[in-house]
Amino acid sequence: MAGNEPKETRIGVFVCHCGTNIAGSLDVEAVVEYAKTLPEVVHADHYQYMCSTPGQAKIIESAKEYNLTGVVVAACTPRLHEPTFRRATEEGGINPFRFEMANIRDQNSWVHMHDWEGATDKAKDQVRIAVAKAALLEDLFPKSVPVEHSAMVVGAGVGGIQASLDLANAGIKTYLVEKEPSVGGRMSQLDKTFPTLDCSQCILTPKMVDVGRHPNIELMTYSEVEQVEGYIGNFDITLRKKARGVLTQDEATAKGIIGGGCNGCGDCSSVCPVIKPNIFEMGMAPRKAIYINHPQVVPLQYTIDFDACVGCGLCVEACGEKKAIDLDMVDEFVKVKVGTVILATGYELIPIEQKREWGYKQFDNVITGLEFERLICASGPTTGHLIRPSDGQTPMKIAFVLCAGSRDNTSTGKPYCSRFCCMYSLKHAHQIMEKIPGAQPYIFYMDIRSFGKMYEEFYYRIQNEGAKFIRGRVANILEDEKTKNLHVFAEDTLLGRPVDLEVDLVVLAAAIQPGADIEHLRQMFGVSRSQDGWLLEAHPKLNPCGTTTAGIFLAGVCQGPKDIPDTVAQAEGAASAASIPIHVGKVELEPYFAQCVEDLCAGCGMCTNLCPYGALSLVDREDGKGNGKVMHVTEAKCKGCGTCGGFCPGGAIRMQHFTSPQICAQIDTFLLGGEQ
Amino acid sequence: MAEEEWNPKIIAILCNWCSYAGADLAGGARIQYPPDIRSIRVMCTGRVDPLFIMRAFQDGADGVLVSGCHFGDCHYIEGNFKCAKRMFMIKNILKNIGIDDRRLRMTFVSASEGAKWGMVMNDVVKTVRDLGPCPLKEFNK
């Protein structure tokens, strides 16, 4: 097929046993013997672990000894060890792109464990297919591109805040984007944190203030990502700065209003006639149409809810000389260029009212854990006095329902463990016993998962303080219509008898899920979701902060349920990973670019419309004849998808490393080659 | 070719980012399926030239599977969509030359859908087995 090989094709084949992972399900030695019969193969060998140092040494030595022109390793997936073997190939004196992998583990021995013959035959075919491609591979050279010395963090909860501070402290210009008017996220809604019982706000607000002040952090609150273009090192991101109707002091100065701009005095809010539920307080307190969520917001700047605002203008009057309020403000679009991105978008509670049996939103005195946090919090709607929503009385008997929607395989539940509900419910139990003398918490649990540092000790402490633990999932909750007390029905699985407990208040430890806008966001950034809906990491064990899209990293709960210590730890990991390409200053891109074979190109221009990156254009032919057009590839824009190459009617586009002759050779050799 | 024992020859072209990763995940989860399919990795299903599919049938394939990301998930924005559009055309051509178009299938399996990959494999093999050897194969002889 390809007649222009400069030298004789000499392929070396190396088959890996992977312990018994491969050798236990198929005949490795038969595959080696078969490989030796292939005309292009001059050497075939096998080894326990090809990825080990002696395994790689085999490749390096054989490459020199047999003067190989290409290397095939039949082992695991190229998604795992292609870089390893490419380096070995290079050390053997061959261009690393003359390496091809046959995936005989993940896509063979592991999925055909009980079919020795079938798996062996398939492995032989896979090796033959890989050899056919390896024979046609060419020398390629990675292209290195410079990396922008800046990063973006999406989501300003504790994870996003920590990641931004780390990046900024490492000297990297960081854009911290938050869709809400203030940073802080879920953690700023919490009262205390387990197991130390630190005040959540007290440990978070210093960090919130830091991100507001840090010279390397550009805080972009009330903003959302609108569009993402580019690739690692050079992302062009368009942000929508939502109209908040209020100018900061800097913005006012820029507009020539000297000494003006919002100083957070709140005069506007006190005259505003519109009252809406405060989402930060879980709807349990009112706020105005011009508002701040709580006194510690960063930045301290009021925001107009334009959906609620009636445009009366009272706030403009109250603001007076500061002239901070602009009722005609519209959304702005800001473009920033960054090298890497960290997503830290957090979570929301599942709609627990769908679990009709527990009566949330049907019965006044059934609340969620997050509502409990606001009710018990000194800065909350009740200034820290826990009350029953139905009558404002202090509850004395309180039931906590754990795994409310977590570890639940029904359509309204989530199969995973939400990982922090056990601990925060223990903390809640402690708080009511501390604040309300004589109050009795009852904890309905399946298992208490207190796996962290000092968590198990905290569990013992709560047991000793007198909380009652009932092992059993709550079947049903009914309300006494007169007293508004609740009857909790469950089976105590340790005593083996049914329970009907009358309590004053029920707190549901509701399961968590990704926010609704994550779908759109992850599509823009090209990140996948795992089956449970959370964002998919590059490798669950070895690359938990990375994603399959180079330059995009994950921090915190958006990757899977985590408590605060784990979120902060992952955020620091993600910040470290995201800073590496920035500090190195350049990244190497795999050279899978499109090339135009000018002799075949008719200049029709179909490909230019297909390219999603605008990498292709039509230019005048340089053959001096003048009137023809020919396609031209801008390599810096080409990402190597091959969509153009799959379409070109003249076959004029060569996709490097995935050329048509290479793919056809793979097809031909599978279907026509081999005698089995 | 022994008449009594016929094993279908099926070729699968998988995109690197979703389906190939999903197939790897099926391996990690030890999901078992019949060993009749051989896969070829491309970066994106957008790379799939209709000629590759025609060539496979011409060479004697009994079935061809093209598998990529879900719509909206494509690593290259919409290569899978462009590929899917071509699939309709190719299926038409197959029908016109008398090949059952069920022999060509496009599926969308994400990197986290190992179990789905197992189902796709079982289903593709079953479909092709039920259809029997591709008639083009006899014509070639």
Side-chain angles (χ1 to χ4, degrees):
Chain A
M1 221 160 305
N4 56 346
E5 252 96 289
K7 50 186 173 180
E8 184 200 358
T9 308
R10 302 171 64 85
I11 308 285
V13 174
F14 303 87
V15 186
C16 181
H17 292 242
C18 197
T20 58
N21 278 318
I22 293 169
S25 302
L26 57 87
D27 190 342
V28 167
E29 277 165 42
V31 175
V32 174
E33 290 311 310
Y34 174 75
K36 284 180 182 163
T37 66
L38 297 170
E40 301 93 339
V41 175
V42 293
H43 173 67
D45 202 353
H46 61 100
Y47 190 67
Q48 257 344 83
Y49 295 102
M50 282 312 301
C51 57
S52 65
T53 309
Q56 293 185 54
K58 269 182 185 287
I59 299 175
I60 298 163
E61 283 157 20
S62 311
K64 291 172 182 160
E65 189 184 336
Y66 296 95
N67 197 18
L68 299 180
T69 60
V71 172
V72 168
V73 174
C76 50
T77 164
R79 297 170 51 83
L80 197 63
H81 267 312
E82 193 174 59
T84 317
F85 294 127
R86 272 194 181 158
R87 274 192 294 275
T89 306
E90 193 170 22
E91 269 189 67
I94 310 171
N95 184 284
F97 291 91
R98 284 178 175 270
F99 163 77
E100 178 69 13
M101 211 156 169
N103 186 340
I104 63 165
R105 190 187 74 175
D106 301 53
Q107 294 186 21
N108 188 343
S109 69
W110 278 354
V111 290
H112 314 306
M113 295 175 83
H114 314 295
D115 187 350
W116 183 271
E117 294 285 313
T120 308
D121 283 351
K122 180 168 170 177
K124 289 176 183 172
D125 280 352
Q126 285 177 306
V127 168
R128 192 170 76 243
I129 292 170
V131 168
K133 177 154 182 190
L136 297 177
L137 289 173
E138 308 151 305
D139 291 355
L140 293 177
F141 302 93
K143 196 178 165 70
S144 134
V145 293
V147 176
E148 196 71 24
H149 201 80
S150 59
M152 176 176 287
V153 178
V154 183
V158 64
I161 287 174
Q162 185 63 48
S164 306
L165 287 173
D166 284 7
L167 287 168
N169 287 336
I172 296 163
K173 167 90 180 166
T174 306
Y175 298 91
L176 177 56
V177 181
E178 169 60 51
K179 67 176 175 177
E180 298 294 331
S182 167
V183 301
R186 289 287 172 209
M187 189 177 168
S188 63
Q189 290 180 286
L190 308 181
D191 180 38
K192 296 280 192 299
T193 56
F194 58 80
T196 51
L197 300 173
D198 285 314
C199 155
S200 183
Q201 282 278 24
C202 311
I203 55 176
L204 181 64
T205 43
K207 285 188 186 289
M208 289 166 60
V209 173
D210 282 355
V211 290
R213 284 218 189 108
H214 203 294
N216 281 341
I217 296 180
E218 190 162 334
L219 192 54
M220 308 186 86
T221 51
Y222 214 48
S223 301
E224 285 178 27
V225 177
E226 187 73 17
Q227 199 186 8
V228 181
E229 286 173 318
Y231 49 92
I232 180 170
N234 300 278
F235 288 107
D236 288 301
I237 300 178
T238 310
L239 298 167
R240 174 194 288 268
K241 265 184 88 177
K242 293 182 278 186
R244 67 196 295 167
V246 176
L247 299 171
T248 61
Q249 292 178 334
D250 289 346
E251 283 164 349
T253 311
K255 282 195 166 189
I257 311 165
I258 306 301
C262 183
N263 63 3
C265 67
D267 291 346
C268 50
S269 189
S270 55
V271 298
C272 178
V274 182
I275 292 179
K276 296 295 273 184
N278 186 341
I279 302 298
F280 181 82
E281 303 286 6
M282 306 307 289
M284 295 183 296
R287 68 154 165 81
K288 300 294 183 61
I290 182 162
Y291 68 101
I292 53 169
N293 276 331
H294 58 99
Q296 287 121 314
V297 291
V298 173
L300 179 54
Q301 182 190 3
Y302 275 75
T303 303
I304 297 178
D305 176 355
F306 277 107
D307 291 335
C309 176
V310 292
C312 64
L314 287 173
C315 52
V316 182
E317 242 166 69
C319 192
E321 283 306 295
K322 293 191 290 292
K323 291 186 181 159
I325 297 172
D326 175 5
L327 292 177
D328 301 321
M329 199 182 269
V330 288
D331 292 4
E332 269 177 59
F333 294 93
V334 184
K335 267 201 164 184
V336 294
K337 207 171 167 63
V338 296
T340 52
V341 177
I342 296 176
L343 302 180
T345 51
Y347 68 95
E348 62 182 29
L349 299 185
I350 64 164
I352 193 71
E353 61 273 19
Q354 286 178 6
K355 290 271 171 197
R356 304 279 302 163
E357 63 269 34
W358 294 327
Y360 181 66
K361 286 194 178 166
Q362 302 165 54
F363 309 140
D364 293 343
N365 293 331
V366 178
I367 62 173
T368 63
L370 214 44
E371 287 168 344
F372 183 95
E373 293 285 350
R374 294 316 301 157
L375 287 176
I376 201 89
C377 179
S379 65
T382 57
T383 61
H385 296 287
L386 183 65
I387 54 161
R388 273 161 43 111
S390 68
D391 52 13
Q393 295 298 307
T394 305
M396 295 307 286
K397 291 172 80 178
I398 300 160
F400 293 92
V401 178
L402 269 54
C403 296
S406 307
R407 305 174 68 196
D408 179 341
N409 281 318
T410 62
S411 60
T412 46
K414 298 286 174 191
Y416 48 80
C417 168
S418 296
R419 282 184 103 234
F420 47 60
C421 329
C422 282
M423 290 309 295
Y424 78 58
S425 296
L426 292 176
K427 175 195 72 182
H428 290 169
H430 167 83
Q431 284 177 295
I432 56 172
M433 289 187 290
E434 184 185 65
K435 283 203 168 183
I436 309 170
Q440 179 63 56
Y442 297 89
I443 297 174
F444 290 86
Y445 69 103
M446 289 162 70
D447 303 284
I448 295 289
R449 297 191 162 175
S450 51
F451 46 81
K453 188 174 181 178
M454 298 302 285
Y455 287 12
E456 190 70 10
E457 292 88 335
F458 187 70
Y459 176 27
Y460 296 148
R461 176 177 166 190
I462 307 307
Q463 282 178 328
N464 290 334
E465 284 175 359
K468 292 226 160 62
F469 290 81
I470 301 162
R471 187 171 183 274
R473 190 166 216 156
V474 172
N476 202 5
I477 293 173
L478 293 177
E479 187 184 52
D480 183 328
E481 283 184 14
K482 270 191 203 138
T483 60
K484 299 280 178 189
N485 284 352
L486 300 154
H487 285 269
V488 181
F489 296 96
E491 184 197 348
D492 187 328
T493 56
L494 295 180
L495 295 177
R497 62 182 182 215
V499 179
D500 167 10
L501 185 72
E502 186 176 347
V503 295
D504 304 326
L505 184 70
V506 170
V507 183
L508 301 176
I512 57 171
Q513 65 183 15
D517 42 5
I518 201 163
E519 182 60 24
H520 182 55
L521 191 78
R522 65 147 197 108
Q523 285 186 357
M524 285 191 287
F525 283 103
V527 178
S528 303
R529 285 169 93 158
S530 46
Q531 229 158 4
D532 52 13
W534 302 102
L535 297 181
L536 185 69
E537 64 285 334
H539 191 281
K541 304 278 186 292
L542 303 177
N543 196 352
C545 298
T547 67
T548 49
T549 302
I552 312 283
F553 301 89
L554 305 176
V557 182
C558 66
Q559 183 254 335
K562 270 173 213 72
D563 55 11
I564 294 168
D566 287 1
T567 294
V568 172
Q570 196 184 19
E572 299 205 284
S576 160
S579 68
I580 293 169
I582 294 174
H583 284 313
V584 172
K586 60 181 172 88
V587 283
E588 285 198 340
L589 302 181
E590 285 184 321
Y592 304 157
F593 309 121
Q595 286 178 328
C596 179
V597 184
E598 298 204 358
D599 290 345
L600 294 175
C601 178
C604 69
M606 296 287 235
C607 51
T608 57
N609 297 327
L610 281 173
C611 179
Y613 306 107
L616 311 181
S617 54
L618 279 186
V619 296
D620 287 327
R621 266 188 197 276
E622 283 173 12
D623 58 1
K625 289 172 196 156
N627 51 2
K629 293 267 185 190
V630 69
M631 187 272 275
H632 171 76
V633 185
T634 310
E635 281 194 356
K637 287 185 179 173
C638 176
K639 289 195 186 181
C641 64
T643 303
C644 53
F647 188 82
C648 179
I653 298 176
R654 267 181 104 253
M655 288 311 303
Q656 298 191 88
H657 210 68
F658 293 94
T659 64
S660 295
Q662 287 165 3
I663 294 173
C664 288
Q666 289 177 293
I667 296 171
D668 289 347
T669 195
F670 164 45
L671 296 160
L672 303 175
E675 265 70 53
Q676 312 144 39
Chain B
M1 298 260 161
E3 283 301 318
E4 63 274 19
E5 207 196 327
W6 165 77
N7 283 321
K9 288 200 163 201
I10 304 170
I11 199 149
I13 307 181
L14 314 183
C15 86
N16 180 59
W17 304 99
C18 291
S19 289
Y20 199 87
D24 283 348
L25 188 72
R30 308 297 194 278
I31 288 164
Q32 304 294 303
Y33 53 80
D36 299 311
I37 299 181
R38 310 288 181 263
S39 61
I40 289 178
R41 182 172 67 118
V42 291
M43 294 314 277
C44 177
T45 49
R47 175 69 186 97
V48 177
D49 191 319
L51 289 175
F52 298 162
I53 294 166
M54 300 316 291
R55 183 158 190 141
F57 282 113
Q58 192 187 340
D59 286 355
D62 298 303
V64 175
L65 169 70
V66 177
S67 191
C69 309
H70 289 276
F71 288 143
D73 276 10
C74 178
H75 193 76
Y76 304 101
I77 305 171
E78 50 185 16
N80 55 351
F81 184 68
K82 287 164 185 158
C83 178
K85 279 167 78 178
R86 288 172 206 160
M87 287 297 131
F88 291 110
M89 174 188 81
I90 306 163
K91 276 175 168 277
N92 258 329
I93 295 172
L94 291 179
K95 270 191 268 189
N96 278 321
I97 59 174
I99 297 177
D100 195 307
D101 69 340
R102 284 174 290 173
R103 293 186 188 277
L104 169 64
R105 184 178 306 182
M106 182 169 191
T107 58
F108 307 95
V109 177
S110 81
S112 64
E113 292 176 329
K116 181 174 175 188
W117 179 252
M119 277 155 58
V120 166
M121 290 287 95
N122 279 306
D123 197 51
V124 167
V125 172
K126 185 180 179 304
T127 308
V128 174
R129 275 191 185 275
D130 289 350
L131 287 168
C134 181
L136 209 57
K137 210 187 271 198
E138 296 302 313
F139 187 75
N140 265 352
K141 272 187 195 167

